[in-house]
């Protein structure tokens, strides 16, 4: 079971979106940045998807500080391709930030890449 | 404030005429904010702050950080800041402080930062006024038409606490909050026609949200305490079982020692039995404790001690760094508060329109509620990165709007920033203990953008109708839809006002080509 936490201003929408995809093996929980930082650190969760207006600030702030920039990545307001996400996952990224107005486009791409990566 | 309800059409014609004092303030403040950004002490863009940690610690270069800052800010400068300033004739933080973030970080030398920042301030105060005047003199005056946006913004903004409550606490409480707010709006219109109808409703909505969140946190902490007590009891039970086992073992030993004594055999057997039972009990107790321990991390909250350790060291280092520069922050607070006091500046999306109409009390109220959505964001990003926000928690905006004279604004701004910077680590600790309150602030910000998104879109279409009728709606609505269809090149929030500006220019071109007659001349 891959545990994904969502945070930031669109956290409820991202969780809804993830739930609606019907991908097996993903466990989704709505969280907050501080809680998510600690749970990822403690190995109680695997990935974090954060959202805010820029896709980088509110969504990633605390996680960057606690976990370091090596595991964090922001797509900003652009929509990534699945290959791009897969590459990032392979390089060890666990924390992803993106724009709140790109939730419906970006969430499925990341979710599918995570599902394929952890399978 | 009643003119506010009468619709916005009459409020047009506000133009950017800055007095010498205002121009000087803007230029000096921009120089200061660029210097502060250069020193990596504060940036306006919440998105850039997280990247400042690597920069401050030397793991990232100045040029890389500048690139991040520009990438994250450009859309907001040209898509939100500039159209808002052009349409309202009021300055805003996206137009002033996002460019100074970039310019400050860009400057390789310290002395260059305030020069570039000041130059940007000059471009804004001299250039914007000119552009504004030119636009107002066009045959199709799209800037006056943009005043149409204020009514939907103000009335839909009233609902943001209801949206936040619905998302965080479900339909029932969201519905109740909605009914309460609507009733208050109707009541206010009936009883106090001079008060902005949304004001009491918004206040009650925000209080309800904070109440729900605090109640939830208190309940959760109580439940956690009960759970901890239960665990303690279990541990006690285990200890007792251990003791019982040790005793039984001793008895069994004695029994075995008695050996051949037939009468004692029964006792020995019983003791052995007791031993087995005693062993069994701690085993189950351990198993139980084991499940409790493994269940705890999976439960929604992380224990406080766990949360505090690595975060506390990160947070306290940042708080210390910021506190060392307290005088500079006080100067910054004084400047921002002074700018707000001059009534040529609006801090939030909705505020610029209110300031443009001279409704400073309404603007103060709207920006005050907005603060609650941003305190946790600003506090945690500042504490995580070691860089503060250019406008702090933005309390200086509403305070500035309301203060009667500039000297008071300077004093108040400095005092507010001093308190904010000094209280930062305490606020961080409090936020660690109140997960639902933090949660609320995220839902609040989400609700603010949701309500403003609809209001700005609707207002932009009203403006389009005012300046160009059906053709205006076609152009503005069409540009908005096109932006959506092409992956939102312009931030969604800013897409509609930007479309009004483009539409306005297009309609003027059509007028010159004799293809369009203005709706109102």
């Amino acid at each position: 079971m891959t545990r994904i936490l969502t945070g930031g201003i669109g956290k409820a929408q991202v969780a809804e979106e993830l739930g609606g995809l019907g991908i097996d093996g993903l466990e989704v929980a709505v969280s907050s940045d501080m809680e998510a930082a600690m749970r990822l650190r403690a190995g109680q969760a695997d990935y974090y998807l954060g959202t805010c207006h820029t896709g980088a600030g509110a969504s990633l702030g605390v996680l960057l500080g606690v976990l370091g920039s090596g595991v964090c990545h922001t797509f900003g307001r652009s929509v990534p391709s699945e290959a791009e996400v897969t590459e990032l996952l392979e390089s060890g990224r666990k924390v992803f930030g993106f724009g709140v107005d790109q939730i419906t486009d970006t969430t499925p791409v990341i979710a599918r890449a995570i599902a394929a990566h952890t399978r | 404030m009643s003119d506010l309800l009468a619709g916005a059409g009459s409020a047009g014609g506000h133009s950017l005429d800055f007095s010498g004092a205002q121009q000087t303030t803007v230029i000096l403040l921009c120089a200061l904010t660029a210097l502060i950004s250069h020193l990596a002490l504060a940036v306006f863009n919440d998105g850039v702050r997280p990247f400042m940690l690597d920069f401050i610690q030397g793991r990232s270069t100045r040029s890389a950080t500048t690139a991040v800052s520009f990438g994250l800010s450009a859309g907001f400068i040209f898509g939100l800041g500039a159209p808002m300033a052009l349409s309202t004739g009021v300055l805003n933080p996206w137009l002033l402080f996002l460019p100074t973030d970039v310019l400050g970080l860009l400057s390789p030398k310290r002395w260059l930062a305030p020069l570039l920042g000041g130059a940007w301030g000059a471009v804004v105060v001299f250039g914007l006024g000119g552009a504004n005047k030119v636009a107002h003199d066009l045959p199709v005056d799209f800037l006056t038409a943009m005043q149409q946006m204020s009514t939907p913004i103000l009335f839909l903004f009233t609902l943001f606490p209801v949206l936040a409550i619905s998302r965080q606490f479900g339909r029932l409480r969201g519905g109740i909050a909605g009914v309460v707010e609507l009733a208050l709006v109707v009541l206010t219109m009936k009883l106090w026609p001079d008060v902005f109808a949304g004001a009491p409703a918004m206040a009650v909505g925000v209080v309800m949200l904070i109440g729900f969140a605090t109640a939830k946190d208190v309940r959760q902490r109580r439940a956690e305490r009960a759970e901890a007590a239960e665990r303690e009891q279990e541990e006690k039970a285990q200890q007792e079982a251990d003791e019982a086992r040790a005793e039984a073992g001793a008895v069994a030993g004695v029994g075995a020692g008695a050996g051949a004594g037939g009468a004692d055999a029964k006792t020995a057997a019983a003791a052995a039995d007791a031993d087995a039972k005693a062993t069994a009990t701690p085993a189950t107790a351990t198993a139980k404790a084991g499940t409790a321990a493994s269940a705890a991390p999976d439960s929604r909250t992380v224990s406080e001690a766990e949360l505090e350790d690595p975060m506390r060291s990160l947070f306290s280092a940042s708080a210390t760094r910021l506190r060392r520069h307290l005088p500079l922050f006080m100067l910054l607070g004084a400047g921002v508060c002074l700018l707000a006091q001059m009534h040529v500046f609006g801090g939030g999306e909705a505020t610029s329109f209110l300031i443009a109409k001279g409704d400073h009390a309404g603007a103060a109220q709207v920006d005050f509620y907005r603060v609650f959505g941003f305190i946790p964001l600003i506090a945690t990003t500042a504490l995580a990165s070691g860089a503060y926000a250019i406008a702090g928690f933005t309390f200086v905006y509403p305070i500035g709007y309301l203060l009667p004279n500039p000297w008071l604004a300077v004093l108040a701004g400095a005092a507010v920033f001093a308190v904010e910077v000094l209280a930062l680590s305490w606020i961080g600790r409090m936020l660690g203990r109140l997960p639902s309150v933090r949660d609320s602030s995220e839902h609040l910000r989400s609700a603010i953008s949701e309500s403003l998104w609809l209001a700005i879109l609707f207002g932009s279409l009203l403006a389009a109708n005012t300046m160009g009728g059906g053709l205006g709606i076609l152009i503005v609505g069409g540009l908005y839809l096109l932006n959506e269809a092409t992956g939102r090149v312009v931030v969604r929030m800013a897409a509609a006002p930007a479309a009004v500006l483009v539409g306005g220019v297009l309609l003027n071109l059509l007028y010159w080509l004799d293809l369009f007659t203005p709706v109102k001349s």
Side-chain angles (χ1 to χ4, degrees):
Chain A
M1 194 56 98
T2 309
R3 289 160 297 182
I4 301 180
L5 302 177
T6 68
I9 62 174
K11 57 184 164 186
Q13 291 100 305
V14 174
E16 253 167 54
E17 190 73 31
L18 285 169
L21 291 171
I23 300 176
D24 287 333
L26 295 188
E27 185 186 301
V28 181
V30 176
S31 180
S32 74
D33 49 359
M34 280 165 112
E35 192 189 316
M38 300 322 296
R39 292 183 68 178
L40 279 165
R41 212 181 130 93
Q44 295 160 8
D46 303 301
Y47 296 100
Y48 173 80
L49 304 187
T51 39
C52 64
H53 285 293
T54 56
S59 56
L60 295 185
V62 172
L63 289 109
L64 265 168
V66 173
L67 302 171
S69 44
V71 295
C72 302
H73 182 82
T74 177
F75 298 113
R77 295 188 51 263
S78 66
V79 179
S81 69
E82 203 166 318
E84 198 181 317
V85 182
T86 306
E87 200 175 299
L88 289 164
L89 289 169
E90 273 161 10
S91 72
R93 308 294 166 113
K94 295 169 184 304
V95 175
F96 297 98
F98 49 97
V100 71
D101 55 353
Q102 304 288 11
I103 287 175
T104 48
D105 299 325
T106 301
T107 311
V109 177
I110 299 177
R112 276 191 218 108
I114 287 177
H117 181 72
T118 52
R119 194 158 287 148
Chain B
M1 223 183 275
S2 53
D3 66 321
L4 202 138
L5 299 170
S10 58
H14 182 98
S15 68
L16 276 172
D17 272 328
F18 296 110
S19 70
Q22 288 164 345
Q23 286 165 347
T24 315
T25 304
V26 171
I27 291 169
L28 287 180
L29 184 59
C30 283
L32 177 66
T33 54
L35 175 66
I36 286 175
S37 152
H38 174 88
L39 298 171
L41 287 173
V43 284
F44 183 78
N45 194 330
D46 299 317
V48 174
R49 217 166 298 127
F51 296 91
M52 298 305 279
L53 183 69
D54 276 359
F55 176 63
I56 290 166
Q57 294 178 346
R59 285 196 303 265
S60 166
T61 62
R62 183 169 283 285
S63 56
T65 314
T66 308
V68 167
S69 171
F70 181 77
L72 292 177
S73 297
F76 290 87
I77 298 169
F78 301 110
L80 189 63
M84 287 276 279
L86 270 174
S87 57
T88 58
V90 171
L91 299 172
N92 60 60
W94 303 285
L95 184 68
L96 292 183
F97 303 143
L98 289 179
T100 60
D101 277 5
V102 179
L103 292 172
L105 284 170
L106 178 78
S107 308
K109 293 271 182 282
R110 183 181 295 189
W111 56 265
L112 190 59
L115 276 184
L116 289 177
W120 174 252
V123 166
V124 170
V125 286
F126 297 116
L128 195 67
N132 190 274
K133 241 178 226 129
V134 169
H136 273 301
D137 292 336
L138 290 173
V140 182
D141 180 1
F142 52 92
L143 295 190
T144 303
M146 279 184 97
Q147 299 280 341
Q148 292 285 340
M149 270 198 244
S150 64
T151 311
I153 284 184
L154 286 172
F155 278 82
L156 285 175
F157 195 73
T158 304
L159 270 186
F160 81 93
V162 177
L163 301 184
I165 291 171
S166 309
R167 283 224 192 272
Q168 194 177 0
F169 299 104
R171 276 177 217 163
L172 177 67
R173 289 191 221 189
I176 293 172
V179 171
V180 168
E181 280 210 13
L182 186 65
L184 276 169
V185 169
V186 173
L187 211 70
T188 312
M189 282 179 158
K190 192 90 191 147
L191 297 179
W192 305 286
D194 284 344
V195 176
F196 167 50
M202 230 188 297
V204 169
V206 170
V207 168
M208 278 174 88
L209 177 66
I210 295 173
F212 286 147
T214 316
K216 189 178 173 189
D217 278 341
V218 168
R219 265 204 309 279
Q220 186 124 15
R221 279 169 77 81
R222 209 174 285 155
E224 264 166 36
R225 260 203 296 273
E227 204 176 280
E230 205 173 283
R231 217 173 297 156
E232 214 167 83
Q233 241 167 8
E234 252 168 41
E235 267 163 33
K236 219 180 191 177
Q238 186 188 346
Q239 224 169 19
E240 268 165 25
D242 275 344
E243 271 165 27
R245 182 183 142 185
E247 236 167 69
V251 173
V254 171
D264 279 338
K266 226 182 186 177
T267 334
D273 201 32
D275 193 6
K277 246 188 220 162
T279 332
T281 323
T284 31
T286 321
K288 243 192 209 165
T291 9
S294 65
D298 278 331
S299 74
R300 270 216 56 197
T301 45
V302 179
S303 83
E304 230 171 84
E306 241 179 301
L307 192 99
E308 277 181 7
D309 257 349
M311 220 167 270
R312 183 178 276 181
S313 61
L314 175 74
F315 280 15
S316 73
S318 300
T320 312
R321 174 175 195 259
L322 294 177
R323 229 175 285 146
R324 262 206 317 271
H325 298 277
L326 192 62
L328 201 57
F329 283 118
M330 289 171 74
L331 186 64
L332 177 63
V336 177
C337 197
L338 175 65
L339 184 67
Q341 198 277 331
M342 289 176 155
H343 298 155
V344 291
F345 174 88
E349 292 89 343
T351 328
S352 297
F353 293 97
L354 287 168
I355 296 286
K357 298 172 130 199
D359 182 5
H360 307 132
Q365 200 177 21
V366 166
D367 270 359
F368 181 71
Y369 296 135
R370 205 171 163 277
V371 168
F372 293 103
F374 286 84
I375 289 179
L377 158 70
I378 291 166
T380 51
T381 51
L383 286 167
S385 68
Y388 198 46
I390 288 290
F393 290 131
T394 69
F395 274 121
V396 283
Y397 297 159
I399 291 171
Y401 303 149
L402 293 178
L403 285 176
N405 78 64
W407 297 110
L408 274 176
V410 166
L411 288 177
V416 168
F417 259 51
V419 171
E420 285 180 6
V421 170
L422 291 175
L424 210 49
S425 52
W426 178 80
I427 292 170
R429 269 204 307 283
M430 284 307 290
L431 289 174
R433 281 188 209 144
L434 298 170
S436 294
V437 171
R438 239 173 328 126
D439 211 23
S440 293
S441 98
E442 269 164 4
H443 285 292
L444 267 182
R445 276 189 293 127
S446 170
I448 286 174
S449 45
E450 235 173 310
S451 57
L452 283 178
W453 162 71
L454 180 62
I456 289 177
L457 176 61
F458 187 69
S460 298
L461 288 177
L462 283 180
N465 187 43
T466 305
M467 68 183 186
L471 183 62
I473 292 178
L474 173 68
I475 293 174
V476 172
L479 283 172
Y480 179 86
L481 289 173
L482 198 65
N483 184 55
E484 287 286 304
T486 51
R488 284 171 220 104
V489 186
V490 181
V491 191
R492 187 184 257 168
M493 181 86 84
V500 175
L501 289 184
V502 174
V505 172
L506 269 178
L507 287 177
N508 277 300
L509 285 177
L510 289 176
Y511 169 82
W512 279 313
L513 294 171
D514 239 351
L515 291 170
F516 170 71
T517 323
V519 178
K520 276 188 279 188
S521 54

